Amino acid sequence: MTKTVYIAGLGLIGSSLALGIRRDHPDYRILGYNRGEASRSIALEKGIVDEATDDFAHFAGQADLIFLCVPIQQTIDFIKQLATLELKEGVLITDAGSTKQAIVEAAETYLVPKQLNFIGSHPMAGSHKSGAIAADINLFENAYFIFTPCKATKKDAIPRLTDLLSGLHARFIEIDAKEHDYVTSQVSHFPHVLASSLMNQAGSYAVDHPLTNNFAAGGFRDMTRIAESEPGMWTSILMTNPTSILERIEEFKERLDQVAEMLKTRDESGIWHFFEQGRLTRKEMEIHKRGGVDSFYDIFISVPDEEDTILKVLELLRGISVVNLRINEENRSDINGILQITFKNKEDLEKAARLIREQTSYQVYLD
């Protein structure tokens, strides 16, 4: 039977969800809300949605399922509004917020009295790109898609959602909202605080030591990439998960103090074990697997500074989808630079590595 899906928020996440839903359910009617006209127009032109509006309440009553893909505070405001609207019987409501406890508490407060069906969701995928123009049908491929059931969640919620979202090719997992916020505070929220802190520190340091800006490449660049994330979103995330993030900050301070003490006492063995433990812990984690935010696959190619070198590599990769391309040549005193190419999945990465190794003499490294 044809269903109507209403997606509030036609940014990267909402628009990519729509494409994934269409892949396995081409007959479903997809409606969209977006405050800004640009993403509404793009979503309509590209066929991401069938109809679009800038009035959230306009399509709410027609939906069998409602996705709230908007900032966290707006998600909470929309939950309150949904409790006042005339909705279709059996409608299922979910969201895409990066923190869950505040959203779940709002659902339990406003939707349970109305006997409305709600489950929290968090698709752990993203990109440096934004808006409907960046919509990607493969954005969630092999990424964790988290469900956080609560008192407002009925038994049919997860089966209905996993069927609807089968075209995302995601990995579905169920977790308590509080535990979700604990875990993501460590692996997502606190790292953004750390990345921005490093950038702010480097910016201040560069005032007296301007070469800091020239030498800020390699590891520093990789560690601070996420500092370019949209500040409004991350302000909202921190404000809705303050306790867990504060705990992570305090614990991290203690670890820095331990390193400082080892330096003061010239504890060479302790410092060695500090780095060794970090190295071993990273090897044991799923960092190299497609399972989290911005978890792409990178290939690093040592290429000579010769005319048409990059074109030669790209010609070999014709037909393979490339997410990003970067030339890392800062701080190098030799004749080679490093060409970094990012792929969406492991298969494309391995195919690209094989082609380059077979048809060039360039050194290839995988991440």
Side-chain angles (χ1 to χ4, degrees), residues 88-286:
K88 186 181 287 189
E89 184 177 354
V91 64
L92 173 59
I93 303 165
T94 190
D95 76 294
S98 297
T99 60
K100 299 274 41 102
Q101 196 167 358
I103 291 172
V104 160
E105 288 173 357
E108 291 179 342
T109 299
Y110 297 101
L111 302 184
V112 167
K114 300 292 184 178
Q115 298 184 324
L116 290 169
N117 194 0
F118 174 90
I119 185 169
S121 297
H122 179 196
M124 291 194 71
S127 168
H128 63 287
K129 301 174 183 177
S130 62
I133 191 68
D136 181 357
I137 194 171
N138 296 313
L139 182 67
F140 309 103
E141 184 176 348
N142 293 323
Y144 283 118
F145 199 109
I146 300 171
F147 298 128
T148 57
C150 62
K151 294 177 183 177
T153 306
K154 302 185 188 302
K155 291 182 179 180
D156 67 341
I158 290 180
R160 285 174 62 184
L161 270 179
T162 53
D163 174 70
L164 177 75
L165 302 174
S166 60
L168 271 57
H169 303 162
R171 293 191 285 174
F172 299 112
I173 186 170
E174 182 180 336
I175 188 174
D176 173 74
K178 183 179 291 188
E179 181 65 13
H180 168 279
D181 287 1
Y182 281 144
V183 172
T184 53
S185 73
Q186 175 63 62
V187 299
S188 177
H189 308 162
F190 173 66
H192 277 79
V193 174
L194 185 58
S196 289
S197 297
L198 284 169
M199 285 309 310
N200 290 332
Q201 182 187 48
S204 297
Y205 198 69
V207 173
D208 295 322
H209 306 278
L211 283 176
T212 300
N213 293 328
N214 300 83
F215 295 168
F220 185 86
R221 179 195 58 237
D222 293 340
M223 287 181 66
T224 57
R225 175 184 54 81
I226 56 177
E228 295 186 17
S229 299
E230 202 283 311
M233 179 182 77
W234 283 99
T235 299
S236 178
I237 288 172
L238 262 63
M239 296 304 291
T240 53
N241 196 21
T243 302
S244 296
I245 297 170
L246 283 170
E247 289 175 357
R248 303 277 52 78
I249 291 173
E250 291 302 318
E251 201 263 352
F252 196 77
K253 286 180 184 177
E254 293 176 8
R255 291 184 181 273
L256 289 179
D257 287 340
Q258 290 170 10
V259 176
E261 185 61 28
M262 287 188 286
L263 282 171
K264 290 175 184 177
T265 59
R266 310 293 291 178
D267 183 358
E268 185 175 348
S269 175
I271 291 173
W272 185 91
H273 283 289
F274 166 76
F275 285 114
E276 175 68 359
Q277 185 60 47
R279 185 183 73 86
L280 293 175
T281 301
R282 191 179 194 278
K283 288 182 69 175
E284 293 171 359
M285 294 182 75
E286 290 195 7

